[in-house]
Amino acid sequence: MATQKSIADKLGLSISLVSRVLSGKAKEIGVAQETIQKVLDEAQRTNYTPNSAALSLRGVKTHTLGVISYDFEDPYFGIILGELHKIAKQRKFTLILAGSYHREEETLDLSAFAKHSIEGLIIVGSDRNKDWYEKFPQKSIPSVQIGFTTEKIGANICIDETVSASLIARYLQKQKTNNAALFFNHSLSHETFKKEYIEALKEHEITVLEDVICDGSLNSVKSGVKRLKSLPDVIIAGDDIMATKIIRSLHELNIKVPDDVKVFGFDNIAHSRNFIPSLTTLNPPIKEMIQAAFDLVSSPKASQETMRFTPELISRESA
Amino acid sequence: MATQKSIADKLGLSISLVSRVLSGKAKEIGVAQETIQKVLDEAQRTNYTPNSAALSLRGVKTHTLGVISYDFEDPYFGIILGELHKIAKQRKFTLILAGSYHREEETLDLSAFAKHSIEGLIIVGSDRNKDWYEKFPQKSIPSVQIGFTTEKIGANICIDETVSASLIARYLQKQKTNNAALFFNHSLSHETFKKEYIEALKEHEITVLEDVICDGSLNSVKSGVKRLKSLPDVIIAGDDIMATKIIRSLHELNIKVPDDVKVFGFDNIAHSRNFIPSLTTLNPPIKEMIQAAFDLVSSPKASQETMRFTPELISRESA
DNA sequence: CTGTTAGCGCGTTCAT
DNA sequence: ATGAACGCGCTAACAG
């Protein structure tokens, strides 16, 4: 591997001179044009790449962000990571990954972040506690969470649950919906929205007949559907995946959507357009949210800001 | 941040002593048990984490793997990354992310890998060329690609296309299928499978009526379906997403699956069980594949091995 | 305009 | 059983 020393030796110059040229500070300091060119040429020829270890040891900015994911199987995870990566690339940032599996009660491994010194932290997903943050050695770096939390540690990007709820309630009211059943799971995100939904529905004179809580597996959804005392006008699901499972369950019980009952989703996952029936749902402005998240976390000063984004109602076949 | 120096100062010991203890070489060299304990305690108390920059500068193993993704929106990307992360965590490896967008002809940014010195490379997805590899500075590190490629550079993990094809062909033959239409896109993965499918179908006396190539958008799939000269017994899709789009298109044209035409998928994405009709498809042994990939890339000696995995046929409603 | 020096955190001689 | 000194590759302060 080519180093500044190898270039300096070859050219009979000093290392620091080479350093100046290679770090672009040649002009500023005043280096002979001819020397600059020689160094540049030799660097080019030998395929010189700065050694990051040395740089970060010297305290030079590493432009490295840590990403924590709470759920790799979230259908949006890939999209979010893709967007993050896109912006990171534009701005010459590197992404390092950590994650945890809530369900298995695993603890978050932060050694990855300590190992490479990260300059910002992006948390993807909602959570209820940040026990791992206790031991986090770099508490001063800017951080942002994309999702809901009960333990805010930095900036926060989420969807406006109040606006979302009234969007849905108004839509359903216009369709002369009188009553609804709710299918949500135990996640903080579901619970946050559900609370607002219940209120907004009441305000719009829609009765919540039942409030089903299930873990989201097809089986638990189906048994939830089976146990419904009566068929409501609409079933509101915590997310699109839940919605498809509800529709699938109804289908297996020979109940038609939307003729017998409407189903409302949330997320507008790629799949929702192709599903039969296609899903009426709320579309979060993902790109804008990720963009904002990146801006918050890559800025020099740590922010505590909370930004709420408004989703768009996508009216399709299911409701 | 706690460093060896900070611990040494606090305890009134020398840095090198602390270093020996912390790098586990205390016993070997002969350090007083009492001293060892003091250092360990102080390290614990101050939350000491070794600085990777310093380590890699000294040439110590960083246990860092680079991950290249060709498509963040692939429904399997999250699953794969989740599995990779799980194993990485167990074995104390760190994952660094790079990626590219084939469709936008973007080039791969490898500076992320140069910055943190990676010890292995995992490529997720199929590709046709590795132009970026020309400029890759660390060609000697072990690498593995999960997917097909025409330009193999290290180990390779993929699905056995021949076995897959005969699995499908036999299944269809048993169902008295006489003819088929193929819906595939331009990706190397699709093309690889398609070639084998055509051969296997011929061997099992199933006529390929049409071979539709589309980009995978719902529109292009639908117009492909519309242009079908006659309805085949079965439509074989390159992947499950394509299959759902085909079924959706057929649905919009009032053609029933599987009554009027069967549809066969590939991938067994999470969604395929919930789709209406549920998808008959091939299920790749993802966990085993990822496990194998990780073993290959994290082993000290770079391997050129190619491992082919056999999928399992999941018979559901669509075919 | 260019060279010398120091030091970032760590493991490793070589001394003691 | 412990410490001092060196160097990995690099930049910045200081000195010509």
Side-chain angles (χ1 to χ4, degrees):
Chain A
M1 286 287 279
T3 69
Q4 297 192 347
K5 182 172 192 314
S6 72
I7 297 178
D9 286 352
K10 171 92 182 212
L11 264 37
L13 298 168
S14 75
I15 302 180
S16 52
L17 194 42
V18 175
S19 170
R20 284 167 197 145
V21 174
L22 259 22
S23 56
K25 277 160 196 156
K27 271 280 164 56
E28 194 179 318
I29 296 182
V31 177
Q33 185 56 46
E34 189 194 3
T35 314
I36 296 183
Q37 207 42 248
K38 273 202 299 188
V39 172
L40 253 28
D41 287 348
E42 179 65 10
Q44 175 89 33
R45 202 185 62 73
T46 56
N47 230 320
Y48 168 80
T49 347
N51 179 320
S52 85
L55 286 176
S56 75
L57 194 55
R58 292 253 330 111
V60 176
K61 292 252 172 283
T62 57
H63 271 215
T64 302
L65 263 26
V67 178
I68 288 179
S69 167
Y70 285 124
D71 184 7
F72 289 98
E73 305 198 5
D74 183 303
Y76 260 115
F77 171 70
I79 312 284
I80 291 180
L81 202 53
E83 285 299 321
L84 279 175
H85 173 78
K86 213 187 215 161
I87 308 176
K89 192 172 162 184
Q90 284 170 198
R91 309 199 190 167
K92 309 236 175 272
F93 271 81
T94 299
L95 263 27
I96 288 190
L97 212 60
S100 78
Y101 294 89
H102 268 172
R103 55 188 93 163
E104 299 174 22
E105 293 287 338
E106 281 191 50
T107 54
L108 199 51
D109 181 24
L110 301 163
S111 60
F113 293 162
K115 216 154 73 175
H116 310 264
S117 44
I118 62 169
E119 289 166 3
L121 189 60
I122 302 171
I123 303 166
V124 180
S126 297
D127 62 24
R128 280 210 169 71
N129 72 71
K130 291 204 178 55
D131 293 344
W132 55 265
Y133 193 67
E134 292 291 321
K135 292 182 192 161
F136 190 59
Q138 302 144 280
K139 291 200 213 282
S140 60
I141 63 170
S143 73
V144 63
Q145 178 159 15
I146 304 169
F148 294 102
T149 179
T150 55
E151 224 169 303
K152 196 158 170 285
I153 58 168
N156 196 222
I157 298 280
C158 59
I159 297 179
D160 193 314
E161 67 269 28
T162 313
V163 173
S164 302
S166 78
L167 228 43
I168 295 187
R170 267 203 309 250
Y171 178 82
L172 291 175
Q173 192 183 36
K174 267 191 209 146
Q175 294 196 167
K176 316 278 183 217
T177 313
N178 290 315
N179 54 61
L182 269 31
F183 273 68
F184 285 75
N185 66 24
H186 290 94
S187 70
L188 177 62
S189 151
H190 274 218
E191 286 187 6
T192 306
F193 281 111
K194 190 168 77 174
K195 216 178 119 202
E196 291 297 321
Y197 281 18
I198 291 176
E199 243 176 79
L201 290 171
K202 196 199 286 180
E203 274 176 30
H204 290 76
E205 288 158 4
I206 298 171
T207 316
V208 175
L209 297 180
E210 284 181 72
D211 174 6
V212 180
I213 295 170
C214 58
D215 64 20
S217 71
L218 184 54
N219 272 341
S220 79
V221 170
K222 190 168 178 183
S223 71
V225 169
K226 272 189 195 161
R227 276 201 306 273
L228 244 31
K229 292 181 201 77
S230 66
L231 218 53
D233 291 345
V234 63
I235 296 179
I236 302 179
D239 58 56
D240 280 356
I241 296 189
M242 183 88 83
T244 63
K245 285 173 182 166
I246 292 168
I247 297 177
R248 173 74 208 188
S249 301
L250 292 166
H251 168 80
E252 290 178 9
L253 299 169
N254 218 3
I255 302 170
K256 302 272 173 272
V257 176
D259 297 341
D260 301 334
V261 54
K262 296 177 219 175
V263 175
F264 209 109
F266 187 96
D267 269 354
N268 192 31
I269 58 173
H271 213 84
S272 54
R273 166 66 185 86
N274 305 323
F275 200 70
I276 303 170
S278 59
L279 261 39
T280 293
T281 187
L282 251 32
N283 182 45
I286 288 286
K287 290 204 179 190
E288 287 78 358
M289 293 171 70
I290 306 300
Q291 176 87 247
F294 205 100
D295 285 339
L296 283 170
V297 80
S298 62
S299 90
K301 53 178 188 350
S303 156
Q304 293 281 126
E305 194 177 348
T306 294
M307 293 180 70
R308 298 180 173 276
F309 287 76
T310 303
E312 176 197 10
L313 196 152
I314 312 278
S315 175
R316 296 207 189 94
E317 295 165 354
S318 74
Chain B
M1 285 287 281
T3 70
Q4 297 191 345
K5 184 173 190 315
S6 73
I7 298 178
D9 286 351
K10 170 92 184 214
L11 263 36
L13 297 169
S14 75
I15 303 180
S16 48
L17 193 41
V18 175
S19 170
R20 283 167 196 145
V21 174
L22 260 21
S23 57
K25 277 159 198 157
K27 272 279 163 55
E28 195 178 316
I29 295 183
V31 177
Q33 186 57 44
E34 190 194 2
T35 315
I36 295 183
Q37 206 43 248
K38 273 202 300 188
V39 172
L40 254 28
D41 288 347
E42 178 65 11
Q44 175 88 32
R45 202 185 62 72
T46 57
N47 233 320
Y48 168 80
T49 348
N51 178 321
S52 85
L55 286 176
S56 78
L57 195 54
R58 279 202 44 77
V60 176
K61 293 250 173 284
T62 58
H63 270 213
T64 302
L65 263 26
V67 177
I68 289 178
S69 166
Y70 285 125
D71 185 6
F72 288 98
E73 305 198 5
D74 182 305
Y76 259 116
F77 172 70
I79 312 284
I80 291 180
L81 202 53
E83 284 299 320
L84 280 175
H85 173 77
K86 213 187 216 162
I87 309 176
K89 191 172 162 184
Q90 285 170 196
R91 309 199 190 167
K92 310 232 175 279
F93 270 82
T94 300
L95 264 26
I96 288 191
L97 211 60
S100 78
Y101 295 89
H102 267 172
R103 54 189 95 162
E104 298 173 22
E105 292 288 337
E106 281 191 50
T107 54
L108 199 52
D109 180 23
L110 300 162
S111 60
F113 294 161
K115 216 153 73 173
H116 310 264
S117 42
I118 62 169
E119 289 166 5
L121 189 60
I122 301 171
I123 303 166
V124 180
S126 298
D127 63 24
R128 282 211 167 70
N129 71 72
K130 291 202 179 54
D131 292 343
W132 55 266
Y133 193 67
E134 292 290 320
K135 291 181 194 163
F136 190 59
Q138 302 145 279
K139 291 201 214 283
S140 60
I141 64 171
S143 73
V144 62
Q145 177 158 14
I146 303 169
F148 295 102
T149 179
T150 54
E151 225 168 300
K152 195 158 170 286
I153 59 167
N156 196 222
I157 299 280
C158 59
I159 297 180
D160 192 314
E161 67 269 27
T162 313
V163 174
S164 302
S166 78
L167 228 43
I168 294 188
R170 266 202 310 250
Y171 178 82
L172 291 176
Q173 191 184 37
K174 267 191 207 147
Q175 294 197 168
K176 315 280 183 220
T177 314
N178 290 315
N179 54 60
L182 271 29
F183 273 67
F184 285 75
N185 66 24
H186 289 95
S187 71
L188 179 61
S189 151
H190 273 218
E191 285 187 7
T192 306
F193 281 112
K194 189 167 80 173
K195 217 179 119 202
E196 291 298 320
Y197 281 18
I198 291 177
E199 242 175 79
L201 290 171
K202 196 199 286 179
E203 274 175 30
H204 290 76
E205 288 159 4
I206 299 171
T207 315
V208 175
L209 296 180
E210 284 180 72
D211 174 5
V212 180
I213 295 171
C214 57
D215 64 21
S217 71
L218 183 55
N219 271 342
S220 79
V221 169
K222 190 167 179 183
S223 71
V225 169
K226 272 189 195 161
R227 276 201 307 272
L228 244 32
K229 291 180 202 77
S230 66
L231 219 53
D233 291 344
V234 62
I235 295 179
I236 302 180
D239 58 55
D240 280 356
I241 296 189
M242 182 88 83
T244 63
K245 286 173 181 167
I246 291 168
I247 297 176
R248 173 76 210 188
S249 300
L250 290 165
H251 168 81
E252 291 179 7
L253 300 169
N254 219 3
I255 302 170
K256 301 272 173 274
V257 176
D259 298 341
D260 301 334
V261 55
K262 297 178 220 173
V263 175
F264 209 110
F266 188 95
D267 269 353
N268 191 32
I269 57 174
H271 215 84
S272 53
R273 165 68 184 86
N274 305 323
F275 200 71
I276 304 171
S278 59
L279 261 39
T280 293
T281 187
L282 252 32
N283 182 45
I286 288 285
K287 289 203 178 190
E288 288 78 358
M289 292 170 71
I290 306 299
Q291 175 87 248
F294 205 100
D295 286 339
L296 284 170
V297 80
S298 62
S299 89
K301 54 179 188 352
S303 156
Q304 294 282 127
E305 194 177 346
T306 294
M307 294 180 69
R308 297 181 173 275
F309 287 76
T310 302
E312 177 197 9
L313 196 152
I314 311 277
S315 175
R316 296 207 188 93
E317 296 166 353
S318 74

